[in-house]
Amino acid sequence: MLKIPDDISDLHLLDELQGMENGTLVCWDTVDRTEKSEITTIIDKIRKHLALVFHRFLEGVNRKVLRIAINNNPIASFDPFDLNHPATQQLPI
């Protein structure tokens, strides 16, 4: 669940973010309550979700490419429309 805190002054890395020209800070809370056996599955689900939701930005919109990494492993985009696939049919609007 996405929660936006009322007071962000004590967030980790906030000072570093404020020194940048742009950026987004995502803080995960209560991750330490996850079972060790589930971590790999959860990371894989997150990786797939981010690859799908942000595929256009990961591919580059207006030549600006978004880079997302989990544990220093970059996420590759996943385009659900796959316009380059030979079986994809583009229909008129």
Side-chain angles (χ1 to χ4, degrees):
M1 175 194 312
L2 174 65
K3 292 193 278 183
I4 301 172
D6 294 328
D7 180 22
I8 62 169
S9 61
D10 62 340
L11 290 179
H12 182 65
L13 298 176
L14 181 63
D15 292 336
E16 184 178 333
L17 178 67
Q18 289 176 333
M20 296 179 178
E21 186 176 329
N22 56 40
T24 301
L25 177 62
V26 177
C27 298
W28 289 0
D29 200 13
T30 65
V31 176
D32 59 334
R33 293 177 178 89
T34 303
E35 296 292 326
K36 283 186 177 182
S37 61
E38 297 175 6
I39 288 289
T40 304
T41 303
I42 291 170
I43 290 174
D44 188 50
K45 285 181 180 179
I46 292 168
R47 179 178 297 284
K48 288 178 181 177
H49 178 77
L50 293 173
L52 175 65
V53 172
F54 296 105
H55 72 90
R56 289 185 59 225
F57 300 100
L58 291 166
E59 291 171 0
V61 176
N62 297 330
R63 298 186 185 191
K64 291 183 180 180
V65 177
L66 172 68
R67 287 174 175 62
I68 303 175
I70 297 177
N71 295 333
N72 292 322
N73 295 311
I75 295 176
S77 68
F78 175 75
D79 183 354
F81 305 106
D82 201 1
L83 298 177
N84 297 322
H85 191 278
T88 300
Q89 298 178 16
Q90 290 190 18
L91 302 174
I93 296 177

